[in-house]
């Protein structure tokens, strides 16, 4: 039985994917983060949207998907070969990426007591006494285009064992995106031109996730929904939840997906 779980964290830009990943690392120390943002092509290779004249950083052709898939596969192989749990720091550090969120913002999302409570829940569910005894490693893959409509069996999403699609209200996403000053690219700095969210970011999100949105219309509803943790009809092993919910609730949905995948593997193993 594999001891590595690949978790896909997807959703529109600024929905909270990276923040979830960083907090999961606090709960599961044997974790590696792989960010889709690190697989953008060089600036000159990012396509231009014919309707707006803007470079389109929110479409599949902007990313080197093949390289990302290869990275996920090679990381899985490396982690499968790690004996015990003694390599957590080295593994995490060797795959560290630039985070989209300042550490102080990440830490402020969940009070220490709430994090400790969730950690204790994980330990109890796994019947272990410390995080070092957790019997599996995680590969946390986050990005805006993991479970998009035209993704095939060779896409990053196909490498994920379980996942979470995190959405938020249009107004929330727009405010968060426009609050970001700039992005570091392979060749320089990118700043969203005026109107970029409404002309590129939001339309592309809807365009590339039409099947998912059809199954879950609450994703684009202009109202807060308390629904969380629903399984998607489009991706059978991907839970759908809103980051407009309290952060702890969103994190709990993701933890439940991870523990559910581990339990599923144990049940299959027991039946053999």
């Amino acid at each position: 039985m594999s001891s590595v779980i690949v978790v896909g964290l997807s959703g529109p830009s600024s929905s909270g994917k990276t923040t979830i990943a960083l907090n999961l690392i606090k709960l599961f120390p044997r974790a590696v983060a792989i960010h889709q943002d690190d697989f953008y092509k060089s600036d000159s290779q990012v396509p231009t949207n014919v309707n707006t004249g803007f470079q389109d950083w929110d479409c599949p052709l902007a990313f080197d998907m093949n390289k990302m898939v290869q990275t996920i596969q090679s990381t899985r192989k490396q982690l499968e070969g790690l004996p015990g749990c003694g390599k957590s720091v080295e593994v995490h550090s060797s795959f560290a990426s630039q985070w989209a969120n300042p550490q102080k913002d990440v830490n402020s999302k969940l009070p220490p007591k709430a994090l400790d409570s969730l950690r204790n829940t994980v330990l109890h569910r796994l019947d272990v006494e410390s995080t070092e005894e957790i019997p599996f490693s995680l590969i946390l893959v986050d990005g805006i285009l993991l479970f998009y409509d035209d993704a095939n069996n060779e896409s990053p999403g196909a490498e994920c064992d379980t996942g979470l699609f995190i959405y938020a209200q249009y107004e929330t996403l727009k405010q968060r995106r426009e609050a970001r000053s700039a992005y570091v690219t392979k060749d320089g700095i990118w700043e969203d031109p005026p109107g970029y969210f409404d002309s590129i970011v939001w339309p592309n999100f809807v365009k590339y996730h039409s099947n998912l949105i059809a199954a879950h219309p609450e994703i684009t509803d202009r109202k807060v929904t308390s629904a969380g943790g629903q399984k998607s009809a489009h991706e059978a092993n991907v839970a759908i939840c809103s980051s407009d919910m309290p952060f702890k609730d969103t994190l709990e949905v993701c933890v439940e997906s991870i523990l559910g995948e581990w339990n599923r593997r144990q049940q299959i193993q027991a039946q053999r």
Side-chain angles (χ1 to χ4, degrees), residues 16-254:
K17 304 175 292 296
T18 301
T19 304
I20 288 289
L22 283 170
N23 279 277
L24 284 172
I25 288 174
K26 297 177 184 178
L27 297 172
F28 301 93
R30 296 187 70 203
V32 176
I34 296 177
H35 305 283
Q36 195 168 44
D37 284 1
D38 292 333
F39 296 89
Y40 271 116
K41 295 177 181 177
S42 62
D43 294 22
S44 61
Q45 292 179 300
V46 174
T48 298
N49 183 284
V50 295
N51 296 319
T52 66
F54 294 145
Q55 274 193 292
D56 192 344
W57 297 87
D58 290 66
C59 70
L61 291 177
F63 298 93
D64 188 340
M65 297 291 194
N66 290 334
K67 184 177 180 182
M68 186 175 182
V69 168
Q70 292 169 4
T71 300
I72 297 170
Q73 292 174 342
S74 63
T75 304
R76 186 196 287 268
K77 289 179 180 178
Q78 179 181 354
L79 290 177
E80 292 281 12
L82 287 179
C85 302
K87 296 281 188 176
S88 59
V89 175
E90 290 84 351
V91 169
H92 181 200
S93 298
S94 66
F95 288 91
S97 298
Q98 291 184 347
W99 303 102
N101 305 77
Q103 191 65 44
K104 62 179 180 63
D105 292 345
V106 173
N107 292 338
S108 69
K109 290 292 184 180
L110 197 64
K113 286 186 177 180
L115 187 68
D116 288 342
S117 176
L118 188 53
R119 183 181 294 111
N120 289 334
T121 298
V122 170
L123 298 180
H124 176 73
R125 291 275 299 276
L126 294 172
D127 194 24
V128 296
E129 295 184 358
S130 68
T131 54
E132 287 73 22
E133 296 178 45
I134 292 175
F136 53 81
S137 301
L138 295 180
I139 300 175
L140 305 172
V141 182
D142 82 65
I144 61 172
L145 289 166
L146 299 184
F147 309 120
Y148 61 99
D149 290 351
D150 295 329
N152 55 38
N153 291 332
E154 297 179 355
S155 69
E159 297 295 321
C160 299
D161 301 310
T162 187
L164 188 67
F165 189 89
I166 309 164
Y167 67 95
Q169 285 184 284
Y170 162 88
E171 290 81 5
T172 300
L173 297 171
K174 183 175 182 178
Q175 181 182 30
R176 291 174 182 172
R177 174 80 182 213
E178 293 182 348
R180 294 179 177 178
S181 57
Y183 297 84
V184 177
T185 68
K186 283 194 173 181
D187 303 313
I189 301 292
W190 166 264
E191 296 183 25
D192 287 350
Y196 195 78
F197 183 86
D198 285 318
S199 59
I200 296 290
V201 177
W202 182 257
N204 275 15
F205 163 61
V206 174
K207 172 183 177 181
Y208 292 115
H209 298 91
S210 60
N211 291 337
L212 193 64
I213 291 169
H216 297 272
E218 69 272 15
I219 289 174
T220 53
D221 280 352
R222 295 277 183 107
K223 61 183 179 181
V224 177
T225 174
S226 60
Q230 304 175 64
K231 290 297 183 180
S232 167
H234 178 53
E235 296 288 346
N237 208 30
V238 177
I240 310 295
C241 74
S242 170
S243 63
D244 288 308
M245 300 189 304
F247 181 79
K248 182 175 182 290
D249 294 348
T250 307
L251 189 62
E252 285 177 348
V253 171
C254 195

